[in-house]
């Protein structure tokens, strides 16, 4: 079986060589095709951080094993890591965090075992990177949460939880504040939960989740979250088990999957052969299991756990009274411990059942659309305008443009209502949201909205606008704070 390998930047090449040496010593039945990705590829003029040949190779093989990569700063280019995940729709970021004996933490010293799997939505949310300056003072980021995207990652999380023999799956969210976006994600979670009655499904507000994770992490099993929240919580969980040097990462898609170390490139120690390869090795073991090489994965992981229990460590962790080893020596210690079982957390050796990662050859982009159950109607519009005038003056001008189909119902600033009621103690910026709704809920069309837009543009710079939609009797838009 052939897979694509990108060694990465900084310490990437040396830790990748260490991991591949362990795989080769264990006779893992894989072939590696090295592809060109990373900062040095950006520097050669490829704005997505990979050569066309690398992209073609990865799409033909369906599996990428990659080291840490750096995105050049200040050049206006997107992160190579995010670009790769989004380009190939690796919608589920799975990261396992477990107590490793020999890696001392507050919890290991207290005898509190940790075995948490975080599943993070990997495509949407603020990671769409769609941002605009609406005025010279006001920046906007669009946050997309979609029903099909949410269903994809949540169903994966439930399937994975069942395979893990998990007892509990928890949805972390902020639906108490972001009622529509996080509300949609939470709605999808409980919709999927109905299909898995054997799993205890519950939810928790993400700030409460963070507090509980650092006080009682042993209460959690599988946690699924949106992209940004999942990014933060997964790094928090890494801190519980010793840091990013012990945090594997798998990016799972229907056709292409990526296994990587999520820690940095550590340029200050690059080339010194002292970096810790554990995170990349654990990611590689997840990759082996993904393609059915369960026997190889178990033998190597048992050897890794035995090595850690024996006190062998690189300079970034472990008993400081015992001399540290370099990257190559750490890899060789694992190789020498093949066949040995650790006292804690040993893995059962299950014979290999290799599959193939080769993706389907797609001819067109997949379109994900859910069934629209109720009729959609337009009942108004939010116009985001630039102005440094007071709310009452803005309202007076807006009402001149309302015509016979619209009524001005609300003006807000940074999400807080400032008209028809408000407080002079609310600080303002030079960008308002003026909300028009149809008179007597009369159905509107886009031409009506465009007519209002044109009329309003005589008095204001209109930065953006959003239709106010309803599906059946359900409003598909939020209210302003205080409205």
């Amino acid at each position: 079986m052939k897979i694509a390998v990108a060694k990465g930047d900084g310490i990437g090449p040396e830790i990748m060589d260490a991991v591949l040496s362990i795989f080769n010593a264990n006779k893992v039945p894989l072939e590696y095709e090295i592809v060109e990705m990373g900062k040095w590829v950006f520097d050669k003029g490829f704005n997505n951080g990979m050569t066309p040949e690398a992209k073609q190779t990865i799409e033909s093989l369906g599996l990428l094993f990659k080291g840490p990569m750096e995105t050049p700063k200040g050049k206006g280019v997107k992160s190579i890591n995010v670009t790769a995940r989004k380009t190939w729709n690796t919608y589920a970021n799975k990261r396992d965090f477990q107590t490793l004996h020999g890696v001392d933490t507050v919890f290991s010293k207290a005898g509190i075992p940790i075995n948490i799997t975080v599943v993070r939505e990997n495509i949407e949310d603020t990671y769409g990177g769609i941002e605009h300056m609406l005025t010279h003072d006001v920046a906007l980021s669009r946050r997309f949460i979609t029903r099909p995207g949410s269903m994809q990652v949540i169903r994966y999380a439930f399937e994975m939880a069942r395979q893990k023999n998990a007892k509990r799956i928890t949805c972390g969210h902020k639906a108490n504040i972001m009622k529509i976006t996080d509300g949609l994600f939470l709605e999808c979670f409980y919709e999927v939960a109905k299909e898995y009655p054997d799993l205890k499904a519950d939810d928790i507000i993400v700030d409460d989740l963070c507090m509980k994770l650092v006080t009682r992490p042993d209460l959690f099993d599988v946690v699924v979250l949106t992209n940004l929240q999942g990014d933060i919580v997964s790094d928090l969980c890494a801190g519980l088990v010793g840091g990013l040097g012990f945090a594997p990462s798998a990016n799972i898609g229907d056709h292409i999957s990526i296994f990587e170390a999520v820690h940095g490139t550590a340029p200050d120690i690059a080339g010194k052969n002292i970096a810790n390869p554990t995170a990349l090795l654990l990611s590689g073991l997840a990759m082996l299991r993904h393609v059915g090489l369960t026997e190889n994965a178990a033998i190597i992981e048992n050897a890794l756990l035995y090595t850690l229990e024996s006190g062998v460590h690189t300079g970034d962790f472990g008993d400081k009274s015992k001399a540290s080893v370099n990257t190559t020596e750490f890899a060789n210690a694992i190789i020498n411990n093949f066949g040995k079982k650790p006292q804690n957390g040993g893995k059962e050796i299950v014979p290999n059942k290799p599959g193939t990662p080769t993706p389907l050859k797609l001819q067109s982009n997949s379109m994900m659309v859910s069934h629209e159950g109720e009729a959609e109607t337009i009942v108004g519009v939010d116009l985001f305008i630039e102005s440094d005038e007071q709310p009452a003056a803005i309202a007076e001008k807006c009402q001149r443009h309302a015509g016979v189909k619209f009524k001005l119902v609300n003006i807000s600033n940074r999400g807080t209502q400032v008209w028809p009621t408000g407080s002079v103690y609310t600080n303002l910026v030079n960008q308002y949201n003026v909300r028009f709704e149809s008179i007597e809920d009369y159905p509107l069309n886009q031409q009506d909205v465009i007519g209002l837009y044109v009329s309003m543009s005589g008095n204001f710079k209109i930065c953006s606008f959003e239709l106010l939609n309803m599906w059946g009797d359900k409003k598909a838009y939020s209210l302003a704070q205080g409205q």
Side-chain angles (χ1 to χ4, degrees):
M1 187 187 303
K2 185 180 286 189
I3 67 168
V5 172
K7 293 191 175 184
D9 301 309
I11 60 172
E14 53 207 278
I15 61 174
M16 181 63 77
D17 288 345
V19 170
L20 295 185
S21 73
I22 295 169
F23 284 5
N24 290 334
N26 193 245
K27 295 183 170 52
V28 173
L30 291 177
E31 292 181 41
Y32 311 111
E33 185 158 339
I34 306 300
V35 294
E36 296 182 332
M37 296 177 69
K39 181 179 181 297
W40 63 279
V41 180
F42 278 114
D43 293 341
K44 288 170 64 175
F46 297 95
N47 284 340
N48 62 355
M50 68 182 88
T51 63
E53 293 78 14
K55 181 173 181 287
Q56 183 178 359
T57 296
I58 294 163
E59 291 182 355
S60 66
L61 297 177
L63 204 60
L64 171 63
F65 188 30
K66 65 182 283 291
M69 292 183 182
E70 179 183 348
T71 300
K73 296 176 177 64
K75 296 187 177 181
V77 295
K78 299 280 190 178
S79 161
I80 176 61
N81 303 305
V82 176
T83 297
R85 297 167 196 158
K86 289 169 66 67
T87 298
W88 295 309
N89 201 56
T90 60
Y91 52 81
N93 177 219
K94 173 178 175 280
R95 293 173 67 179
D96 292 309
F97 305 96
Q98 59 181 325
T99 299
L100 297 170
H101 295 270
V103 182
D104 287 337
T105 68
V106 171
F107 299 100
S108 66
K109 290 176 180 177
I112 299 173
I114 296 173
N115 185 11
I116 301 170
T117 301
V118 173
V119 179
R120 163 193 172 197
E121 195 285 318
N122 221 17
I123 306 296
E124 304 179 347
D125 201 357
T126 52
Y127 281 68
I130 303 169
E131 300 181 308
H132 298 86
M133 292 297 298
L134 297 188
T135 78
H136 69 280
D137 280 342
V138 180
L140 170 72
S141 174
R142 288 183 180 266
R143 181 178 196 250
F144 287 103
I145 303 293
T146 71
R147 186 182 304 278
S150 299
M151 295 295 281
Q152 260 190 333
V153 68
I154 290 168
R155 182 162 279 111
Y156 168 82
F158 272 89
E159 280 293 320
M160 184 276 305
R162 179 177 278 175
Q163 292 172 12
K164 183 187 173 183
N165 293 319
K167 303 300 181 191
R168 179 187 184 192
I169 180 168
T170 304
C171 179
H173 64 88
K174 197 67 178 171
N176 58 321
I177 302 298
M178 294 177 283
K179 298 180 185 297
I180 292 181
T181 49
D182 270 35
L184 176 59
F185 191 81
L186 184 59
E187 177 186 318
C188 291
F189 175 80
Y190 280 114
E191 188 175 331
V192 175
K194 295 174 185 176
E195 303 171 23
Y196 297 83
D198 51 312
L199 285 169
K200 178 187 176 184
D202 55 20
D203 69 273
I204 185 171
I205 296 172
V206 68
D207 38 335
D208 188 24
L209 169 65
C210 290
M211 182 188 71
K212 287 185 167 63
L213 281 169
V214 298
T215 54
R216 288 296 305 276
D218 53 315
L219 296 178
F220 294 94
D221 199 342
V222 175
V223 184
V224 60
L225 306 103
T226 56
N227 202 333
L228 178 60
Q229 294 167 18
D231 192 4
I232 295 166
V233 168
S234 56
D235 274 21
L236 183 153
C237 289
L240 303 179
V241 297
L244 290 175
F246 303 96
S249 180
N251 302 281
I252 306 298
D254 289 336
H255 304 293
I256 298 171
S257 294
I258 305 168
F259 296 82
E260 61 182 343
V262 292
H263 57 66
T265 58
D268 54 320
I269 62 169
K272 297 181 179 180
N273 196 36
I274 59 174
N276 179 2
T278 303
L280 187 62
L281 177 58
L282 289 169
S283 300
L285 297 179
M287 177 183 68
L288 297 187
R289 292 189 171 98
H290 181 71
V291 296
L293 299 177
T294 49
E295 182 174 344
N296 295 99
I299 292 170
I300 295 171
E301 185 163 0
N302 284 339
L304 167 64
L305 297 176
Y306 184 92
T307 302
L308 293 174
E309 283 184 350
S310 302
V312 178
H313 65 94
T314 51
D316 58 315
F317 76 100
D319 184 353
K320 298 304 180 183
S321 67
K322 186 175 182 179
S324 62
V325 298
N326 64 30
T327 309
T328 303
E329 290 166 341
F330 188 77
N332 287 337
I334 294 170
I335 292 168
N336 292 333
N337 287 327
F338 285 165
K340 296 177 181 177
K341 276 283 190 79
Q343 291 184 356
N344 301 281
K347 305 301 177 182
E348 180 185 357
I349 295 177
V350 179
N352 289 341
K353 292 184 179 178
T356 173
T358 304
L360 296 171
K361 304 303 179 187
L362 301 180
Q363 302 300 317
S364 61
N365 297 89
S366 299
M367 177 61 68
M368 305 189 300
V369 182
S370 63
H371 174 66
E372 188 172 1
E374 298 183 83
E376 174 187 350
T377 56
I378 301 172
V379 295
V381 62
D382 280 344
L383 297 172
F384 298 85
I385 65 168
E386 179 176 348
S387 178
D388 57 9
E389 296 181 281
Q390 289 292 304
I394 292 173
E396 184 180 351
K397 290 181 180 179
C398 289
Q399 286 169 328
R400 298 176 199 158
H401 299 285
V404 297
K405 292 188 176 181
F406 293 94
K407 58 185 177 184
L408 179 68
V409 297
N410 178 69
I411 300 176
S412 61
N413 193 289
R414 291 192 292 176
T416 301
Q417 185 182 53
V418 294
W419 184 93
T421 61
S423 170
V424 293
Y425 293 97
T426 302
N427 287 351
L428 307 176
V429 297
N430 65 343
Q431 192 266 314
Y432 289 87
N433 172 16
V434 294
R435 173 166 292 178
F436 290 89
E437 292 181 359
S438 63
I439 295 173
E440 296 180 353
D441 296 326
Y442 183 83
L444 302 169
N445 57 42
Q446 290 190 89
Q447 287 78 8
D448 297 325
V449 171
I450 291 170
L452 176 63
Y453 181 106
V454 171
S455 180
M456 283 280 290
S457 67
N459 277 119
F460 302 102
K461 173 192 168 186
I462 301 174
C463 309
S464 178
F465 76 93
E466 294 290 345
L467 299 176
L468 303 183
N469 295 311
M470 291 186 69
W471 276 270
D473 59 358
K474 183 179 180 181
K475 288 183 177 179
Y477 51 92
S478 62
L479 299 179
Q481 205 74 33
Q483 185 179 358

